[in-house]
Amino acid sequence: MQIFLTIFWFFLVSFAISCVPQIPRSDASVLNLLRAVTEGNSNSLQSTASTTPSNSSASLTISYPLSQYVFLVSTAIPTLNPTVNQTVTSCSVTPSLPTGLTLNASTCTITGTPTAQTARASYTVTASSASGNATTSVSIRISNTSAIAVIGQAGSFITSNLGATADNTLNQPSSVRADSSGNLAVSDFGNRRILYYTQANISAGISPGIDIRATRVYGQQLSFTCSASFNDYTGTCTNGTANANNMASPQSVFLDNSGNIFAEAGNRVLVFSSNASLAATRVYGQLTSTNFTSSTANNGGTVTANTVSNVQQTALDSSGGLYLCDSSNNRVLYYPSGSTTASRVYGQPDFSSSTANNGGISANSLSNPTGVALDSNGNVYIADQNNNRILRYTGTDTNATTVYGQANFTTSATGVTATTLNTPWMLAIDRSDNLFVTDYGNRRVLVFPSGSTTAARVYGQGSFTCGLANTNGSCATTGVTANGLNNPRGVSVDAFGNVYIADTGNNRILIY
């Protein structure tokens, strides 16, 4: 009987298979079907059927990590590897990529070193596979050390006038910060406010002569025409005292990727949401997270883990923890995410000390730190201003492992070369971990390639040995141009590679 049933099921399965000739099967698959039926193993039958290939397949797709990129001329770009869902057989691009960049004809990878500045252009990459073709577009711009757009001067590169307080003017902008989407926040020091610019406005304004306007204002009752100190928020543009909405000459700003604003607001840092009409929800530096009515240095008392004096640059790590330059206390504090009490201190042996170069200038001392930034590995960089150096700390170690601007950890000399600094102020790090330093006293911004303590690029000067204000390629003051700087304090690089410099002395933000 068993033999009879086996023969019966064999002919039945064979007949069923013959009815669907468009799905070829190997002899092994037929035997698997037969074995599944004769052994009563339904799971095996389902498994075999689900892995059977068919004539239908997904269409080829291709994309790059970002839709737009800005690369530096004469600097090797990070490799752009596309994401594809099939094996690619060939690739092409139209129009031709900027000179120096190459598309791999087999993998669609883009590599190379651009050799000349170019305007933004869209490039269409076509990938081919056995199933057909797919295209994607990517925007590429090659930047140089000459600015292509300006904020705060109605699109003009040759003016530095203040004008009336408005949504398109600035008064000593001290800090600038771009988020991952290309939106921008600026601490407008002289106008006692924080301004916010959308990526759309900035993108539309990346061209000479275009007036880029802010869309939000913090600290001045939503008014772009008021510049009161500690605005009293009673409906008039009147000086007042500290509260959860106002500020006095903000020295720094940090914009996170959720649109939250961290603003220095007079010996404290206020945290605002993306809704500029709402009051701050948290304050750092005034003992508790809700003490919004005090702005006294060290809360009028002694130095502790939750007081500050003269806040400069701030930065967030990947966990949401806050780094804060507590400059007059000669230290940098780290606050775990959600806490307004510091858990780690750089530059001092404990939370109650505040002496400059405590114990002497060394790898663990600081004197008026003003800048802080983190690289992709979580390493910390601090601008040790009065010691004319940048210190790099590995992980959570509070002893520096690398020094920029000095030959060793025990010197503090100034200089104007590719390896020296004069009053460095704020920092930024791009997606390739290149370090940007505003060298305030030398009126320039230096770029140090990842892992190098010798600058490879300079903004604001025609050479590494010039430190004059408002030069135009030669070491001579020629007036305000797209090439010069005057005591820059802030710098930021967005996810796409656009560089923003707060040209404080010229009352403007330059975009490169």
Side-chain angles (χ1 to χ4, degrees):
M1 177 61 72
Q2 181 64 36
I3 294 175
F4 173 78
L5 288 174
T6 298
I7 294 172
F8 171 76
W9 284 113
F10 177 82
F11 281 108
L12 182 61
V13 170
S14 298
F15 175 76
I17 293 172
S18 68
C19 293
V20 284
Q22 73 277 17
I23 307 178
R25 298 181 185 274
S26 66
D27 291 339
S29 65
V30 173
L31 291 175
N32 286 337
L33 283 170
L34 178 60
R35 187 177 298 111
V37 173
T38 55
E39 295 177 359
N41 187 347
S42 60
N43 289 333
S44 178
L45 178 63
Q46 293 171 2
S47 175
T48 302
S50 66
T51 58
T52 301
S54 67
N55 287 338
S56 62
S57 61
S59 299
L60 173 66
T61 61
I62 179 173
S63 64
Y64 289 91
L66 298 175
S67 61
Q68 61 174 293
Y69 294 90
V70 179
F71 299 122
L72 296 173
V73 69
S74 303
T75 302
I77 72 169
T79 300
L80 300 188
N81 292 308
T83 298
V84 294
N85 64 339
Q86 295 178 12
T87 300
V88 173
T89 57
S90 66
C91 303
S92 62
V93 61
T94 55
S96 297
L97 292 172
T99 304
L101 300 187
T102 302
L103 178 79
N104 186 296
S106 299
T107 64
C108 298
T109 296
I110 299 175
T111 57
T113 301
T115 60
Q117 184 175 12
T118 65
R120 179 193 304 162
S122 181
Y123 300 87
T124 300
V125 176
T126 301
S128 300
S129 72
S131 68
N133 300 329
T135 63
T136 188
S137 292
V138 60
S139 170
I140 296 176
R141 178 171 70 84
I142 308 303
S143 72
N144 207 330
T145 54
S146 181
I148 62 168
V150 60
I151 299 174
Q153 294 297 324
S156 172
F157 288 116
I158 60 173
T159 61
S160 60
N161 59 293
L162 303 180
T165 303
D167 61 354
N168 64 341
T169 61
L170 294 168
N171 183 353
Q172 301 178 69
S174 54
S175 175
V176 58
R177 170 69 188 185
D179 67 13
S180 61
S181 299
N183 303 304
L184 198 69
V186 174
S187 56
D188 190 10
F189 179 86
N191 286 324
R192 305 173 184 89
R193 62 184 183 175
I194 302 295
L195 295 179
Y196 176 92
Y197 304 81
T198 64
Q199 189 276 334
N201 276 14
I202 294 169
S203 182
I206 295 186
S207 179
I210 302 299
D211 192 7
I212 301 173
R213 294 176 178 269
T215 57
R216 286 189 230 150
V217 59
Y218 294 80
Q220 295 295 342
Q221 297 184 103
L222 304 181
S223 170
F224 286 108
T225 60
C226 182
S227 60
S229 178
F230 288 123
N231 191 307
D232 66 4
Y233 269 71
T234 60
T236 60
C237 187
T238 305
N239 294 344
T241 57
N243 60 41
N245 297 283
N246 61 23
M247 54 197 67
S249 300
Q251 301 190 89
S252 68
V253 64
F254 187 91
L255 174 63
D256 72 14
N257 293 332
S258 298
N260 298 309
I261 298 281
F262 292 72
E264 189 279 323
N267 297 304
R268 58 183 187 160
V269 172
L270 297 180
V271 183
F272 298 91
S273 73
S274 58
N275 186 342
S277 65
L278 300 179
T281 57
R282 188 188 317 156
V283 59
Y284 291 83
Q286 293 296 330
L287 294 181
T288 71
S289 63
T290 57
N291 183 15
F292 293 108
T293 58
S294 173
S295 63
T296 307
N298 294 321
N299 197 245
T302 58
V303 179
T304 69
N306 50 16
T307 62
V308 296
S309 177
N310 186 21
V311 175
Q312 293 290 326
Q313 191 172 19
T314 57
L316 291 182
D317 66 13
S318 59
S319 71
L322 177 71
Y323 287 83
L324 180 155
C325 290
D326 186 13
S327 298
S328 292
N329 286 328
N330 302 294
R331 64 183 185 173
V332 170
L333 298 176
Y334 174 75
Y335 302 83
S337 178
S339 174
T340 56
T341 299
S343 63
R344 187 162 68 244
V345 59
Y346 297 79
Q348 299 295 338
D350 52 54
F351 289 108
S352 60
S353 301
S354 61
T355 303
N357 291 326
N358 202 325
I361 184 172
S362 66
N364 59 9
S365 70
L366 294 170
S367 179
N368 194 43
T370 52
V372 61
L374 291 87
D375 67 20
S376 62
N377 295 311
N379 300 309
V380 180
Y381 298 73
I382 294 175
D384 187 13
Q385 187 177 92
N386 287 356
N387 288 325
N388 300 295
R389 63 183 185 173
I390 310 299
L391 297 178
R392 177 185 178 275
Y393 304 79
T394 303
T396 59
D397 191 352
T398 56
N399 289 297
T401 56
T402 306
V403 59
Y404 299 74
Q406 300 294 331
N408 54 57
F409 288 108
T410 60
T411 59
S412 61
T414 63
V416 57
T417 67
T419 57
T420 56
L421 298 165
N422 182 1
T423 319
W425 209 297
M426 294 188 185
L427 310 174
I429 296 178
D430 69 12
R431 61 177 179 267
S432 297
D433 284 339
N434 299 308
L435 174 66
F436 290 68
V437 179
T438 53
D439 191 13
Y440 178 88
N442 286 325
R443 300 158 181 101
R444 64 183 184 173
V445 172
L446 295 181
V447 184
F448 297 86
S450 178
S452 174
T453 57
T454 299
R457 179 173 299 275
V458 57
Y459 293 84
Q461 303 293 343
S463 72
F464 287 108
T465 57
C466 184
L468 298 180
N470 295 325
T471 63
N472 191 23
S474 62
C475 197
T477 298
T478 58
V480 181
T481 68
N483 300 301
L485 294 169
N486 186 6
N487 297 126
R489 286 177 56 176
V491 61
S492 185
V493 186
D494 68 20
F496 309 115
N498 296 297
V499 176
Y500 306 85
I501 294 177
D503 187 13
T504 308
N506 286 326
N507 304 297
R508 63 184 185 173
I509 303 295
L510 293 179
I511 304 175
Y512 301 81

